[in-house]
């Protein structure tokens, strides 16, 4: 559910799963909080896998890891060491072009019909070395969400 797009040794541009993924991978989860938590678990697994690749020297520590989205929580990202800035016009236009897909996926994750605030999309960036420093925080968050998943 976390895809690296046009990845190279300088930059990895992260993207969330596609509508195909939502239809075939996530359909077994109830909409709302259980679905949101599962998506977050997948994203955390992806970040932890990136850390493992950096630790194994398969990706350089200097790689810039970038994600752009409309659903970022600034406080959480800052706590995890990400730098946040407004998304480029190109990314915001791309989000609008994909509005219908984003609308239904966002509504499922919220558990009700919801319109995503695409114009306020943000770009989050972190260097591989800085992401590695956040490994323990990411693991704790991952374990908390996994525990919730088994209870719900």
């Amino acid at each position: 559910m976390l895809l690296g797009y046009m990845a190279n040794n300088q930059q990895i541009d992260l993207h969330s799963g596609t509508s195909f993924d939502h239809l075939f991978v996530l359909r077994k989860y109830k909409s709302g909080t259980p679905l949101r938590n599962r998506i977050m678990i997948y994203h955390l697994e992806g970040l932890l896998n990136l850390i493992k690749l950096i630790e194994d020297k398969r990706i350089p520590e200097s790689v810039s890891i970038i994600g752009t989205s409309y659903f970022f929580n600034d406080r959480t990202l800052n706590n995890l060491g990400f730098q946040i800035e407004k998304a480029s016009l190109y990314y915001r236009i791309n989000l609008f072009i994909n509005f219908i897909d984003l609308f239904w996926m966002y509504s499922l994750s919220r558990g009700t019909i919801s319109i995503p605030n695409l114009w306020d999309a943000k770009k989050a960036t972190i260097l591989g070395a800085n992401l590695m420093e956040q490994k323990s925080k990411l693991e704790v968050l991952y374990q908390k969400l996994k525990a919730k998943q088994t209870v719900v």
Side-chain angles (χ1 to χ4, degrees):
M1 286 297 295
L2 189 64
L3 311 168
Y5 181 70
M6 293 180 60
N8 57 48
N9 284 338
Q10 286 77 39
Q11 179 175 311
I12 300 171
D13 194 358
L14 299 178
H15 294 270
S16 192
T18 64
S19 42
F20 179 85
D21 295 314
H22 273 72
L23 286 172
F24 293 100
V25 175
L26 296 172
R27 67 179 171 186
K28 61 186 171 187
Y29 299 99
K30 284 183 67 174
S31 63
T33 303
L35 179 60
R36 243 186 351 262
N37 285 347
R38 185 63 221 171
I39 292 168
M40 181 63 117
I41 288 168
Y42 280 132
H43 288 173
L44 290 168
E45 287 173 349
L47 291 173
L48 290 168
N49 284 333
L50 275 175
I51 290 170
K52 177 81 171 113
L53 291 170
I54 295 167
E55 289 173 340
D56 293 346
K57 308 290 186 214
R58 294 176 60 197
I59 297 174
E61 291 183 16
S62 61
V63 69
S64 183
I65 300 164
I66 301 168
T68 302
S69 188
Y70 55 88
F71 60 80
F72 285 151
N73 181 305
D74 290 1
R75 187 171 45 101
T76 301
L77 288 176
N78 282 321
N79 187 37
L80 292 172
F82 285 84
Q83 302 299 313
I84 303 169
E85 60 188 81
K86 193 165 185 76
S88 71
L89 181 61
Y90 167 79
Y91 276 101
R92 287 184 278 153
I93 289 171
N94 185 47
L95 290 172
F96 277 103
I97 290 170
N98 292 292
F99 177 78
I100 293 172
D101 267 352
L102 297 174
F103 169 73
W104 77 262
M105 289 186 294
Y106 185 67
S107 293
L108 282 176
S109 73
R110 305 301 298 168
T112 186
I113 292 177
S114 301
I115 298 174
N117 192 359
L118 303 180
W119 196 250
D120 284 337
K122 297 175 186 114
K123 175 176 147 182
T125 307
I126 192 167
L127 291 177
N130 295 346
L131 183 64
M132 285 185 355
E133 293 171 3
Q134 302 301 318
K135 183 178 180 179
S136 62
K137 287 181 185 177
L138 292 168
E139 288 174 332
V140 167
L141 183 55
Y142 176 76
Q143 291 305 324
K144 281 182 184 178
L145 287 172
K146 287 289 278 189
K148 279 185 185 180
Q149 183 183 27
T150 57
V151 172
V152 175

